[in-house]
Amino acid sequence: MKVILPLDENKIDVCVSFGRCQYFMIHDTDSGSTEIKGNPVADAQGGAGIKSAQFIVDSKADALITVRCGENAAKVLNMAGIKIFKSEGIGAEHNIALLKSGKLSPLAQFHAGFHGKR
C-alpha cells in the first residue's frame, strides 16, 4: 500500500496543515521504501488543499494520514478511492506503524477549508 503523509519542515513530524505542508512523505508499506517530496503547491494563492489532493491522486497513493483535511480536498481523494486516516501523535513513522497494525481510525470530520488563509 502506498501511503502519503504531510510533513513539517523537520521532515519527521506530521504537519497540521495538509494543503500547505512543506513536504510529503510517500511510504510503500509492502517494500518499506520511503521518499520525501516537496509540496509543489505549498505557497499557492488559493486552492492548496485541492491541489495537494490532486498531487496525492497523481502519486497513485492508496491512503493519506493527516491531522485534518478540508471538504473539497476530501471529495477529490474520495472520488479517487484514496482512504483518509486521522493521525495519532506527531511522528510520521509512528503513524505508519499504527496504520500497519490497524490502529488508525478513518478521518471522519472535514473542515470547510481555509480558502487562501494560512
Side-chain angles (χ1 to χ4, degrees):
M1 173 187 320
K2 188 185 260 188
V3 182
I4 296 186
L5 300 91
L7 296 180
D8 276 337
E9 293 81 14
N10 66 11
K11 300 181 185 178
I12 297 170
D13 297 328
V14 178
C15 183
V16 297
S17 177
F18 161 66
R20 297 204 179 270
C21 67
Q22 292 299 304
Y23 302 98
F24 284 110
M25 174 186 280
I26 304 169
H27 179 81
D28 186 321
T29 61
D30 297 326
S31 69
S33 67
T34 298
E35 181 180 7
I36 295 176
K37 290 188 173 185
N39 180 357
V41 300
D43 295 322
Q45 290 293 321
I50 293 172
K51 292 173 185 172
S52 289
Q54 188 60 55
F55 173 83
I56 290 171
V57 171
D58 293 345
S59 297
K60 301 190 182 344
D62 301 297
L64 167 69
I65 301 173
T66 187
V67 174
R68 63 184 180 209
C69 183
E71 293 170 343
N72 292 335
K75 286 178 187 175
V76 171
L77 296 168
N78 286 328
M79 287 178 61
I82 296 170
K83 297 175 185 155
I84 307 170
F85 293 94
K86 171 85 171 125
S87 66
E88 297 290 331
I90 61 171
E93 294 291 341
H94 175 70
N95 277 281
I96 291 169
L98 289 174
L99 179 68
K100 287 180 182 178
S101 64
K103 295 181 180 174
L104 280 186
S105 300
L107 185 62
Q109 295 183 345
F110 302 97
H111 62 81
F114 297 116
H115 306 285
K117 300 174 190 165
R118 291 187 181 217

